[in-house]
Amino acid sequence: MLEQQLKQRAADAPPVDPGDSLAQVVRRGRRRLLAVRAFSTLATVAAVAVAAVVLPSTLDGPPVPEVVHAPIDDGGSGDKTVDEATGSEPHAEKGDDGDVGVAPVKDVAFDVEITILHPATGTVTEAEEIAVEGVADEAAEVTVNGLPASRDGAAFRAVVPLDAGKNLVKAVASLGDDRWGYDKVVVTREVPEPDPKPKATSEPKEQPKDPEKSEPKPEPEPAPEVTFTAIQVHDKVEYDPPYSVYEGTAPAGALVKVYSDYGSAKTQAGEDGAWRVKVWFESAPYGTHTWTVTAWLYDTDHKHQFEFTGTRPEPESEVAFTANQKYGSSDAATPSDVFWGTAQPGTVVWVYSEYGEAEVTANDNGDWEVEVVFTNPPPNKPFPVKVKSLHTGEKVLFEFEWIQ
């Protein structure tokens, strides 16, 4: 389009020199037209530079490269030229008429992606510095207010100082000298004003009150008293062997022991302070007898005593005490074993271990059988299981193994 316009103007205008050709006139006219455009561009750049000088210092940031195609001397002719298609100036060349052109200025493209994610524009803080975080092209070099930013993939981070008032925070990304990108936010730093000094006064200063004298300290609350109670559920029992149940209250987790000349047991108070235990008097003699039973709170002087009368019937005929084990091991998820044998009719047989226990009473024929479930036993490690007659006190020892 430019070529056609220049040719038309050259054709319409009379040649200055009769010896000039039409092509020479067209080139001369094109150089003059583009020289006028270059002059207009320089005037615009100068106006922008003057405006930047008067901006507040708190809004100054590191400069973003700007592309200015400055006119270049064309060998004394005074004419300047810029390529209309690319916006750059061509290499110096001699034309058909021997004229010299202009040198090119490298183009700069603002196509590098960069975005500030934190802080948001309009952020107000009292801090003297702020962390600036965002994302940018992974290959780009990033600076924030002239300070190099640390990179982690696409992410960047830099800590920049803040002046009082408004601060322009500008992040710049560059790929070489000809590809750039930038983003910016405005952050306001508010500096609290110091408290004014109190005015002098002639009035006497009030002396600070001594809290120890003006207000009495509250008396410390007394430590809660240890509450230990106990009752005997059965005070007379006719059984072989005789037994009774004891229960009460104690500090949470405290140990309680109930003991006598013919039997004892211990337990622990729960979180609510309640405790309960069953005591077999397996050593009591046959017939009816009365003895003292004591409930004691461990490591204290707190005790409760009871009178108990137990009647242990005489056996009609003696049956030998025997015990047998059915398996001896198990690979079940919840292992168990079966024990059986003989004992005096009515005799309580107790099968017990560290991981489980059970009781059974011999029937009228003197036979007994019971299954014991073991909870969380050690795998592949035999442990003892005892079988005891609470009538005679006889014991038989077995072993059980949980196979895994």
Side-chain angles (χ1 to χ4, degrees), residues 73-268:
D73 189 355
D74 64 351
S77 67
D79 293 332
K80 312 300 187 284
T81 180
V82 177
D83 191 305
E84 282 286 329
T86 64
S88 63
E89 298 167 356
H91 294 281
E93 296 180 353
K94 287 187 177 181
D96 297 337
D97 58 354
D99 291 337
V100 179
V102 292
V105 176
K106 195 172 185 180
D107 287 335
V108 175
F110 291 89
D111 60 353
V112 181
E113 295 293 335
I114 182 169
T115 302
I116 296 175
L117 301 178
H118 174 82
T121 191
T123 297
V124 178
T125 179
E126 294 184 1
E128 296 180 356
E129 58 185 15
I130 193 166
V132 181
E133 299 174 342
V135 293
D137 191 309
E138 294 189 15
E141 294 184 5
V142 177
T143 60
V144 181
N145 283 13
L147 300 176
S150 60
R151 301 300 307 274
D152 183 5
F156 69 83
R157 186 178 191 274
V159 179
V160 298
L162 298 175
D163 295 329
K166 291 186 177 181
N167 294 257
L168 176 65
V169 178
K170 183 185 293 183
V172 179
S174 63
L175 288 172
D177 296 331
D178 57 353
R179 296 182 62 194
W180 299 79
Y182 71 95
D183 194 11
K184 58 187 178 180
V185 296
V186 176
V187 178
T188 301
R189 179 187 171 204
E190 293 185 349
V191 180
E193 297 182 359
D195 295 334
K197 295 182 180 180
K199 296 181 179 179
T201 177
S202 59
E203 297 179 0
K205 294 183 179 180
E206 184 179 353
Q207 295 296 328
K209 296 181 180 180
D210 186 348
E212 294 186 357
K213 294 181 179 179
S214 58
E215 297 181 2
K217 291 183 178 180
E219 294 293 333
E221 296 183 0
E225 296 183 0
V226 176
T227 302
F228 175 55
T229 63
I231 61 171
Q232 181 175 250
V233 177
H234 310 292
D235 56 0
K236 293 181 180 180
V237 172
E238 183 178 348
Y239 199 79
D240 188 13
Y243 70 91
S244 188
V245 175
Y246 300 85
E247 59 186 21
T249 61
L255 293 176
V256 177
K257 183 176 182 179
V258 180
Y259 60 90
S260 70
D261 291 340
Y262 302 120
S264 62
K266 60 183 178 181
T267 188
Q268 187 175 17

Side-chain angles (χ1 to χ4, degrees), residues 30-40 71 78-81:
R30 181 174 60 183
R31 286 198 302 270
R32 290 173 179 174
L33 176 61
L34 296 181
V36 171
R37 293 183 179 180
F39 178 79
S40 176
D79 293 332
K80 312 300 187 284
T81 180

